[in-house]
């Protein structure tokens, strides 16, 4: 699963409109035009999958751009922090290895979810991780109990999130 797939599935799961997505990219420090947004979300018809089985999009996004979108999504959903002035964050050139963990953490923050909410979302797709496993996904990389969140968990989380949001 690549970042474009994650973005497309997240968009569906939480019902984001084009204007909201563009605004989230801007708040994250990566301005995107409407045409670029469409290219990010549009699959190439000639070659549907690359040699790894991933979908191919007109404009692929890397982990840093996707992380910036998630940061913008938090600001869009919750607003800027009151006690801290809004300032430009310096783009870290640090490589993000486990983007699924980062995404789970930031979606949890943006939607003000608890661990119980995440467990309920996984239950919607008949997947039952333990609280400890969810906690391990949410830990900082390098901590003793950190566990990488695989694509299977992320696909099921996004599918369950869509079902959960439409129920509520």
């Amino acid at each position: 699963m690549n970042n474009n797939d994650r973005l497309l599935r997240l968009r569906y799961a939480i019902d984001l409109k084009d204007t909201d997505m563009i605004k989230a990219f801007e708040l994250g420090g990566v301005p995107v035009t409407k045409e670029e947004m469409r290219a990010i979300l549009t699959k190439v018809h000639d070659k549907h999958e690359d040699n790894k089985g991933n979908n191919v999009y007109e404009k692929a996004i890397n982990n840093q751009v996707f992380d910036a979108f998630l940061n913008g999504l938090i600001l869009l959903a919750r607003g800027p922090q009151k006690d801290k002035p809004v300032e430009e964050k310096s783009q870290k050139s640090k490589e993000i290895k486990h983007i699924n963990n980062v995404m789970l953490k930031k979606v949890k923050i943006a939607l003000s979810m608890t661990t119980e909410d995440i467990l309920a979302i996984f239950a919607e797709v008949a997947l039952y991780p333990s609280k400890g496993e969810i906690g391990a996904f949410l830990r900082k990389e390098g901590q003793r109990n950190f566990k990488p969140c695989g694509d299977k968990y992320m696909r099921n989380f996004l599918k369950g999130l869509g079902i959960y949001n439409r129920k509520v």
Side-chain angles (χ1 to χ4, degrees):
M1 193 159 80
N2 61 32
N3 291 328
N4 295 66
D5 287 329
R6 290 179 186 92
L7 185 65
L8 193 61
R9 290 169 190 242
L10 180 62
R11 174 192 175 147
Y12 171 76
I14 60 176
D15 260 349
L16 281 175
K17 298 188 178 15
D18 282 347
T19 54
D20 293 337
M21 292 186 71
I22 291 169
K23 182 82 172 154
F25 271 111
E26 286 175 12
L27 289 171
V30 181
V32 177
T33 65
K34 194 176 250 189
E35 292 76 29
E36 288 174 322
M37 189 75 246
R38 290 197 196 283
I40 289 170
L41 298 173
T42 304
K43 294 178 187 175
V44 175
H45 295 292
D46 298 340
K47 187 178 175 188
H48 293 290
E49 293 183 352
D50 65 6
N51 55 4
K52 295 179 185 174
N54 292 326
N55 290 317
V56 178
Y57 290 82
E58 288 181 14
K59 182 177 179 180
I61 57 173
N62 61 25
N63 287 351
Q64 280 74 22
V65 173
F66 188 60
D67 185 47
F69 169 78
L70 293 172
N71 289 335
L73 183 64
I74 291 170
L75 289 173
L76 184 68
R78 299 182 66 156
Q81 291 182 346
K82 290 183 170 79
D83 58 345
K84 291 186 179 178
V86 178
E87 57 186 51
E88 287 293 318
K89 290 184 179 178
S90 61
Q91 286 290 352
K92 295 179 183 174
S93 60
K94 183 179 155 189
E95 183 184 342
I96 301 170
K97 289 183 191 173
H98 303 287
I99 193 68
N100 288 338
N101 293 68
V102 172
M103 181 179 179
L104 185 63
K105 214 178 298 185
K106 292 189 178 184
V107 168
K108 179 182 186 259
I109 293 168
L111 301 179
S112 302
M113 296 176 5
T114 62
T115 303
E116 285 76 23
D117 294 332
I118 293 174
L119 290 171
I121 288 167
F122 277 119
E124 292 290 339
V125 290
L127 193 63
Y128 302 99
S130 67
K131 264 189 176 182
E133 198 170 6
I134 298 299
F137 292 150
L138 298 173
R139 290 184 183 276
K140 187 175 183 179
E141 185 178 349
Q143 284 188 332
R144 186 170 50 108
N145 294 329
F146 172 81
K147 180 179 177 186
C149 180
D151 284 346
K152 172 190 165 191
Y153 278 105
M154 189 48 60
R155 270 193 299 274
N156 283 307
F157 173 74
L158 292 170
K159 184 178 179 183
L161 183 61
I163 295 167
Y164 185 79
N165 278 341
R166 281 157 181 72
K167 261 184 166 179
V168 176

